[in-house]
Every structure is written in structure tokens, then in C-alpha cells.
Amino acid sequence: MPELAYVNGLVTPVDEARVSIEDRGFQFSDGIYEVVRTHNGGFIDLERHLARLERSATMLDLALPMPLPELERVSREFYAQSALPEAIFYLQVTRGAAPRRHTAPPGLTPTLVMTVRAITQPPPERYTAITVPNNRWKLCACKSIGLLPAVLAKHAALRAGADEAVFVEDGLVLEGASDNFFAVKDGVVYTPDTDGRILAGVTRERVLEQLAERGARVEVGPLPLELARSADEAFITSSVLTVVPIVALDGRPVGDGRPGPVTGRAREDYWDFIRRTTA
Ligand code: PDD
């Protein structure tokens, strides 16, 4: 089966899918999205992703195209058509298409786009990262499709020969351009709080639950850059990457420059969870 796209009910191969140039997603980044990993033909945490989609929609006063249970059913039916057991499922909702004016006309039909694309590589064994100033807007809890700061940060990382960029503000580490950030020091796991300056990652939440189950010492709160620089271990989490060690930050090794044991266990626990819930 090819990689498939869905646009307001029409399923086609990805390269045949079309939306209007008047779509407000194209014109204004007026939309929201979710990225969900699948394994063994099953979604990983689809319900949590859709619940976050609804929260993002509320933050932007954006109508979802259908009630959440129906959206879940449509997502599952569409994914089943692809028959790709290891995939990245992408779902985007925009406010719809209309002649370009900042204010949207009332009663616009939202545009629902979904794609399923095959995963061809296992998650990376290790990443390096640079830090960049946080130049994003104040609604980072909303999974908006307005991702230009993330794109520019990733370009900066690429230019620096690193894999990821991590946003820093007021001396605090916030999150990666497309993932959440954790540091481990003296046996304590640190990660920033969901205070609006970061996205409440679904993977982050799962990893925190697993750390709690293991009785790990966890501090959710401000994460000083100095702490990250002097950490024994660091790692990032996302639906696409799962759990990936950060072995260097701004060109300096994190700890001994190798993936550490706390990170390794978090990654194993997360993959155990994936296998359990998608079996
Ligand atoms: N990004 N922080 C940001 C800014 C993100 O864009 C993402 C996800 C995360 C991790 O969230 P989750 O664990 O729910 O995937 C954190 C997706 C993968 C993307 O933009 O491709």
C-alpha cells in the first residue's frame, strides 16, 4: 500500500492530495496538528494526542471538523487503509479556506488533513544538541502549525553540525525544537514544568509516569542551563523519536559523552510500554 493522505474525506496517495491556496493554514498558519507514532499496526497514545488536539483547538477558538470520538474513529479507519505497521500518522486541522482576510468568515468548514508515512529507521541511538534563544510566541502549550522558529532553530543546529536545537530563555532550558528535554544529575531527573512555555508532550507525560512507577526522584520545574551543562545525562522525548540520549550540548560532552543508564532505562521502559499497548 502507498503512503496515504486524507483531505476532508478524500483518501489518495500523498503526492496526489491537494488543499486550496486559500486555506488559512497556508495563508496564516491558522491551524493545529498532532503527530502520532504507530507500532505493530497500532497507535501509540492516540487518545492523549486527540485530547491535546482539542485543547489546542480551544486555545485558538478553532472548531474541530467533528466530535472527538468520531475523529478517533475516522483516524483509525484511515490508518487501517494504509496497512503500514510502523508509521508516522500526521493530523492537521485548519480553520478552513476563504479569501485572504485576517478575520475568518463565520461558518467556515475546517480542513482536516491526515497522512500516514512509513517509518524506515529505528530511533537514533544518540543525538547532539545546541542551545538557541527562545524566540517563540507565548502559546507554546498549543500545538500550532506556526513552526517557523522551530524550523530556524533546526537549521541553526544543522549548520552547527548538531542534531537538535534546544530553546533557552532567562537562563532556563525549555524544550527542544520538536521534543521535550530532560537532564539527570546525581540521580535526580529534571524536566521543565508545563507552564505554557513548552508543549505538554505526550511522550514526556508517559516517561514521567514510568519514572514515578520506578520510584525515581524527579524534579518538575525550572531547569537552569547550568544544570543541563553539568548534568550526568540528558535526553529528549517525542512521539517520533521516543527517548533519545543527548550526548553533547553546545559542543561539550554531557557527562562522559555516552548515553547514560537512567536514559537507557527510560527508553527501554517506553519501548516496553509501546510493545504492551500495541500488541
Ligand atoms: N513534535 N515539544 C515540541 C515543541 C514539539 O513540537 C513536540 C512534538 C514535543 C513532543 O511532544 P510529543 O511527545 O507529544 O510528540 C515537544 C512533533 C513530533 C513534530 O512537530 O513533529
Side-chain angles (χ1 to χ4, degrees):
M1 259 298 196
E3 295 181 322
L4 293 179
Y6 168 113
V7 181
N8 283 350
L10 184 67
V11 176
T12 63
V14 170
D15 57 4
E16 289 172 24
R18 298 286 179 268
V19 291
S20 166
I21 62 160
E22 294 201 302
D23 195 89
R24 293 180 61 87
F26 183 62
Q27 298 281 357
F28 296 111
S29 297
D30 190 359
I32 54 177
Y33 76 107
E34 284 296 327
V35 180
V36 189
R37 195 183 176 96
T38 78
H39 177 72
N40 200 19
F43 282 106
I44 301 161
D45 266 335
L46 179 64
E47 298 81 359
R48 289 189 183 193
H49 282 279
L50 292 180
R52 185 173 63 191
L53 185 82
E54 191 169 52
R55 295 200 300 276
S56 295
T58 302
M59 291 177 82
L60 301 189
D61 194 23
L62 194 144
L64 290 180
M66 56 191 82
L68 227 46
E70 200 181 329
L71 192 54
E72 181 175 340
R73 184 179 55 74
V74 168
S75 301
R76 290 188 187 282
E77 282 174 10
F78 168 60
Y79 172 55
Q81 285 187 59
S82 78
L84 289 171
E86 311 294 316
I88 297 295
F89 170 81
Y90 177 84
L91 187 157
Q92 174 177 305
V93 179
T94 72
R95 210 178 298 270
R100 186 184 180 282
R101 225 166 275 123
H102 286 70
T103 47
L108 217 52
T109 305
T111 307
L112 171 61
V113 168
M114 298 185 279
T115 58
V116 183
R117 320 213 63 150
I119 296 174
T120 52
Q121 304 276 336
E125 292 301 324
R126 60 187 69 198
Y127 257 11
T128 59
I130 59 164
T131 56
V132 293
N134 185 41
N135 56 1
R136 302 179 302 170
W137 70 338
K138 294 193 188 302
L139 293 184
C140 286
C142 173
K143 203 159 172 55
S144 151
I145 59 172
L147 289 173
L148 195 48
V151 168
L152 297 181
K154 291 216 186 239
H155 285 177
L158 201 65
R159 279 197 302 276
D163 301 302
E164 179 57 311
V166 175
F167 289 114
V168 170
E169 184 171 277
D170 301 332
L172 302 176
V173 177
L174 300 180
E175 64 182 332
S178 61
D179 33 71
N180 291 111
F181 186 88
F182 291 72
V184 185
K185 187 166 178 165
D186 299 329
V188 182
V189 181
Y190 298 86
T191 199
D193 202 359
T194 50
D195 60 358
R197 288 200 285 181
I198 67 166
L199 184 76
V202 171
T203 321
R204 169 190 178 280
E205 194 177 21
R206 278 287 170 209
V207 166
L208 284 174
E209 287 168 12
Q210 288 167 354
L211 287 165
E213 273 168 33
R214 282 205 176 268
R217 283 189 294 153
V218 179
E219 290 271 349
V220 177
L223 202 174
L225 177 57
E226 280 320 305
L227 192 151
R229 286 200 199 289
S230 62
D232 304 316
E233 301 177 35
F235 62 92
I236 51 177
T237 63
S238 81
S239 307
V240 172
L241 293 173
T242 67
V243 178
V244 171
I246 297 291
V247 296
L249 194 57
D250 291 328
R252 287 185 287 264
V254 174
D256 65 5
R258 287 178 299 182
V262 177
T263 305
R265 201 166 311 121
R267 180 162 158 136
E268 275 169 33
D269 283 352
Y270 189 68
W271 274 95
D272 282 347
F273 158 77
I274 287 178
R275 285 185 281 266
R276 247 190 354 262
T277 56
T278 55

